[in-house]
Amino acid sequence: MTVAPITQPRPGPVLEMRAERIVAALQTFRDAFPGVRPYYATKCNTHAGVLRTLREAGCDFEVASTQEVEILAGIGVPGPEVIFSNPVRAREQTARAAAAGVDRFSVDSVEELHRLSVEAPGARVYARLATFGQDSVVPSEGKFGVDVTGAVRLLLEARERGLVPYGITFHMGSQSLAPSALRRPLQDVAHAMDRLRRAGVRLEMVDIGGGFPAAYDEPVPPLADFGRAAAAEIAALPYPVEVFAEPGRCLVAEAGTFRCRVIGVAERPSGWWAHTDLGVFHGLMEVLESGGELRYPIHDTRGTRLRRCYHLTGPTCDSQDTFARDVLLSADLHEGDELLIGSAGAYTSVYASRFNGFAPPRVVLI
Ligand SMILES: *Cc1c(COP(=O)(O)O)cnc(C)c1O
């Protein structure tokens, strides 16, 4: 990411990422999940400074594409240390990742297992179990995953094809608000491990995925509650395994703040609108994905005591660009005022497009 020169009159929106908040979030995760090894979900925020900060703090990495393998190689993370959890990949993606040394891949179909055995012979395989995304604000589930029988079949077939049956994974759904959402998938894991053991297959790893929440405009259950729910089920697994997790959002969301500007204020029959130089298409896409449920904490720097309710919308001519409704801000808000959008470090800059010709926000590490 390039840093605009200070002399530039209109620098445009910036996402500021605070390194010490990332390190603190990683520590909070480790305290909540003793003995669980975190693999940061790279797709969540791929800024090199963010990745370096996590790397220096001893975090490992999960990827969903070969491009991410290459980004990580650029900051010195070797392929063999990375896990590839996107269960369906174009053939050349697997081949390129394998050439870079990646040898742990998730699968949730026989088709992918066949491709994998050709493109990455001898690789370690972990099966993706389905979950049902209960109490998840950004439902990411419903696409991937097999049931217990399917996972057992895949891992047995992996052995037949010269691959290594390595583990089982799942994802409870992003921004989960229910620690209990970890229970059922881990019980499924236990059943699968039992059945595999009877077939002579012993797994090395269980990966409890991501989905752990970050605080937006309301408090969320502490990570320690998720940790306790996981620990209870992990203790009940049929034999000891290494346990991984793939936290994304909870490691980087709260470390990020968007600084953007009001470009105009308008009073309309629908209420007061503030238009900003940042919107849904330039970083705030998750507002749409969550059906408006994800509410970023938003402040203006004017700080006038008298408040007024605004709808906040981006700079494009698309009505879907609206990213917040009924936000109390300074009543005399006007052109040029700065808005601070908090908890913006996850799934923002990485979603930004050039829609309507507006440049994506710059990202800086502080
Ligand atoms: C996106 C993703 C994650 C991270 O999810 P969060 O909700 O950000 O924690 C982890 N694992 C996989 C496979 C993913 O696709």
Side-chain angles (χ1 to χ4, degrees):
M1 312 288 144
T2 52
V3 178
I6 282 157
T7 49
Q8 190 175 323
R10 285 172 193 277
V14 180
L15 176 63
E16 290 180 351
M17 295 297 301
R18 282 181 201 280
E20 92 264 5
R21 293 287 303 269
I22 297 172
V23 174
L26 180 62
Q27 192 55 48
T28 301
F29 187 89
R30 287 192 163 126
D31 292 344
F33 291 88
V36 174
R37 190 162 172 174
Y39 284 73
Y40 168 66
T42 304
K43 73 176 188 294
C44 195
N45 185 322
T46 51
H47 184 259
V50 169
L51 300 177
R52 268 197 205 98
T53 301
L54 286 162
R55 169 84 169 157
E56 278 160 23
C59 193
D60 287 297
F61 296 89
E62 176 270 337
V63 298
S65 72
T66 306
Q67 290 82 347
E68 289 174 358
V69 173
E70 285 158 12
I71 291 171
L72 289 169
I75 63 148
V77 181
E81 292 183 15
V82 170
I83 60 173
F84 203 135
S85 292
N86 188 344
V88 179
R89 300 165 294 274
R91 221 169 246 289
E92 62 275 15
Q93 284 267 316
T94 302
R96 269 167 61 199
V102 178
D103 93 318
R104 291 175 288 179
F105 296 89
S106 83
V107 297
D108 72 345
S109 66
V110 176
E111 282 268 317
E112 181 60 57
L113 203 61
H114 292 181
R115 279 196 294 276
L116 182 62
S117 65
V118 174
E119 305 300 337
R124 291 178 281 177
V125 178
Y126 49 110
R128 170 85 170 252
L129 277 176
T131 64
F132 301 94
Q134 32 153 345
D135 291 307
S136 156
V137 176
V138 189
S140 50
E141 292 316 286
K143 172 157 142 178
F144 292 121
V146 291
D147 61 10
V148 171
T149 300
V152 170
R153 265 187 29 216
L154 282 172
L155 290 164
L156 291 178
E157 173 135 8
R159 181 176 62 176
E160 252 141 59
R161 295 200 159 250
L163 298 160
V164 179
Y166 177 58
I168 301 188
T169 188
F170 59 84
H171 191 296
M172 65 180 156
S174 203
Q175 185 69 2
S176 172
L177 301 178
S180 62
L182 286 166
R183 292 236 162 83
R184 163 84 196 277
L186 275 167
Q187 288 161 4
D188 284 350
V189 169
H191 291 139
M193 284 171 70
D194 250 335
R195 284 167 58 179
L196 285 161
R197 180 165 60 175
R198 277 184 264 127
V201 169
R202 201 181 160 91
L203 299 181
E204 278 177 57
M205 173 281 257
V206 169
D207 176 351
I208 65 174
F212 312 100
Y216 288 82
D217 74 334
E218 277 174 10
V220 291
L223 283 191
D225 290 0
F226 288 85
R228 271 189 290 277
E233 300 301 335
I234 289 165
L237 294 176
Y239 52 87
V241 283
E242 266 197 282
V243 183
F244 297 171
E246 301 173 348
R249 184 188 303 280
C250 75
L251 297 186
V252 294
E254 292 172 43
T257 303
F258 268 129
R259 288 178 175 275
C260 65
R261 293 212 169 268
V262 174
I263 57 174
V265 172
E267 188 184 11
R268 302 192 175 110
S270 51
W272 280 90
W273 290 79
H275 292 240
T276 61
D277 61 359
L278 180 83
V280 165
F281 303 106
H282 302 92
L284 299 172
M285 180 63 78
E286 280 207 308
V287 173
L288 292 196
E289 288 188 46
S290 66
E293 258 194 82
L294 199 74
R295 291 181 63 97
Y296 293 92
I298 302 175
H299 306 281
D300 65 271
T301 54
R302 181 166 290 278
T304 308
R305 175 112 36 92
L306 190 62
R307 312 304 275 172
R308 175 185 282 153
C309 222
Y310 293 90
H311 305 316
L312 301 179
T313 194
T316 73
C317 206
D318 191 314
S319 63
Q320 296 296 315
D321 207 1
T322 300
F323 60 92
R325 291 188 178 269
D326 302 317
V327 183
L328 280 175
L329 298 171
S330 294
D332 56 346
L333 197 69
H334 62 239
E335 178 187 355
D337 284 352
E338 190 174 48
L339 287 192
L340 301 181
I341 304 175
S343 295
Y347 303 111
T348 49
S349 51
V350 288
Y351 275 148
S353 73
R354 291 193 163 268
F355 182 48
N356 270 201
F358 295 105
R362 291 176 295 123
V363 184
V364 297
L365 187 80
I366 295 175

